[in-house]
Amino acid sequence: MKLIKPSYSIIEQEHGLNGIYKQIELAGRTCYKSEDKITEDSAKEFVDRMIKSGHGAMLEHGTVYLAIPMTTYAPEAVNTYRDNAYSKVNDCNEFIFTDKYGDKVAAWCVTTNLRVLVENDCLEDLEFLCEPTEYHERRYTVKFICSRSTSHQIVRHRVMSFAQESQRYCNYSLDKFNNEIIFVAPAWYKEQAHHKFLNSLHRAEMDYFDLINSGLKPQEARAVLPNACKTELIVTGFVSDWKGLFDLRCDTGADPD
């Protein structure tokens, strides 16, 4: 077994459509811990597979910024994004750009995600794909390495999008996991004073391995694992969503972890 501290990293989405695909693949492969299968050209195939299987939750991690010309697009169609909880629309008369016809036009600045486009049959709108401007509300993706108990708190922010390491499918007795279970030290833990805590984690690990060796599947053996188990959690949300999370989770009454 291994005991680690919690951590986080901000995952910047790369440019263009392939950057959207790569962001989705990274989120999706976190669930099965199959990041080793990522190659330079694997992202598009992965996303196509997610679309075909109807696994839309992973598509939400691919942020799409659109600049839709007001002169060439029906205003009613923009309501697809206005009426969607995972989209933000800015009627941006201040943002003037040159469209594909060479005309200077204002735009609807839309921030959304690939799932919205797929499920609303709007993939043709990708012709208006752009890099985020000051008129687009930004979305950010963060990877948390934390305990399962902490992840339970974070996923309650249901307006955000999540992808989480799956104890159903990850078999921690395998070599790819170094034949061990990783746990996260809680805020109150002190190495010199909490041997009983460490012993309980060690027993849980041994019980898990015993159940796996007896023929149980990971989704069955995980029943003996404690909330201190390490998990990897990918979270994507608008700036306003993150502010809401900070307001609640940084409050003095929140879980210290």
Side-chain angles (χ1 to χ4, degrees):
M1 61 164 277
K2 182 188 293 185
L3 191 65
I4 64 170
K5 294 181 178 180
S7 61
Y8 76 93
S9 57
I10 298 173
I11 303 174
E12 297 285 352
Q13 181 172 295
E14 295 182 22
H15 299 311
L17 186 57
N18 199 48
I20 295 172
Y21 294 155
K22 286 184 175 182
Q23 196 84 340
I24 293 168
E25 182 182 25
L26 178 60
R29 291 200 181 280
T30 296
C31 301
Y32 296 86
K33 296 306 300 162
S34 60
E35 295 96 332
D36 57 312
K37 295 184 179 179
I38 294 176
T39 66
E40 192 57 38
D41 56 359
S42 61
K44 176 63 164 57
E45 180 183 350
F46 182 89
V47 172
D48 287 344
R49 193 160 61 249
M50 294 295 101
I51 293 173
K52 185 177 180 180
S53 66
H55 200 357
M58 295 304 103
L59 305 180
E60 293 177 14
H61 294 278
T63 297
V64 177
Y65 297 103
L66 304 174
I68 301 177
M70 291 183 177
T71 56
T72 60
Y73 201 72
E76 296 79 14
V78 180
N79 289 336
T80 297
Y81 304 109
R82 290 191 200 281
D83 299 336
N84 185 273
Y86 290 92
S87 306
K88 305 279 187 183
V89 179
N90 184 2
D91 297 310
C92 201
N93 292 303
E94 299 91 350
F95 176 49
I96 306 297
F97 73 107
T98 304
D99 68 11
K100 63 182 179 181
Y101 303 107
D103 297 324
K104 297 288 187 181
V105 297
W108 288 288
C109 290
V110 178
T111 306
T112 186
N113 66 73
L114 193 63
R115 181 177 188 173
V116 173
L117 271 68
V118 169
E119 294 187 349
N120 289 280
D121 197 23
C122 293
L123 285 174
E124 68 275 6
D125 288 350
L126 287 172
E127 70 170 294
F128 305 119
L129 187 67
C130 67
E131 294 305 309
T133 70
E134 61 182 304
Y135 304 106
H136 291 86
E137 182 169 347
R138 297 293 297 270
R139 291 176 89 230
Y140 288 97
T141 297
V142 178
K143 178 179 180 178
F144 293 97
I145 298 179
C146 60
S147 67
R148 299 289 294 196
S149 58
T150 298
S151 72
H152 295 337
Q153 306 293 314
I154 297 174
V155 299
R156 294 181 64 192
H157 295 266
R158 292 165 56 190
V159 295
M160 306 177 90
S161 301
F162 306 103
Q164 185 168 9
E165 176 182 340
S166 172
Q167 289 182 340
R168 285 193 66 199
Y169 299 107
C170 293
N171 184 341
Y172 299 114
S173 70
L174 298 179
D175 290 344
K176 69 177 291 185
F177 296 104
N178 295 319
N179 317 107
E180 66 180 356
I181 295 176
I182 300 175
F183 301 97
V184 174
W188 50 262
Y189 174 74
K190 296 289 185 289
E191 185 176 359
Q192 319 273 310
H194 293 106
H195 294 297
K196 184 177 288 189
F197 173 68
L198 285 179
N199 289 338
S200 68
L201 298 184
H202 181 70
R203 287 196 301 272
E205 181 186 54
M206 291 299 98
D207 289 342
Y208 174 86
F209 290 155
D210 286 345
L211 291 173
I212 291 290
N213 291 333
S214 72
L216 265 63
K217 298 176 181 178
Q219 69 178 12
E220 298 164 337
R222 66 175 173 158
V224 300
L225 295 178
N227 277 331
C229 276
K230 182 272 293 184
T231 191
E232 298 184 15
L233 179 65
I234 307 289
V235 184
T236 303
F238 288 100
V239 169
S240 54
D241 298 331
W242 284 108
K243 287 180 178 177
L245 184 147
F246 294 150
D247 286 345
L248 290 173
R249 301 303 164 190
C250 297
D251 185 82
T252 54
D255 184 324
D257 286 313

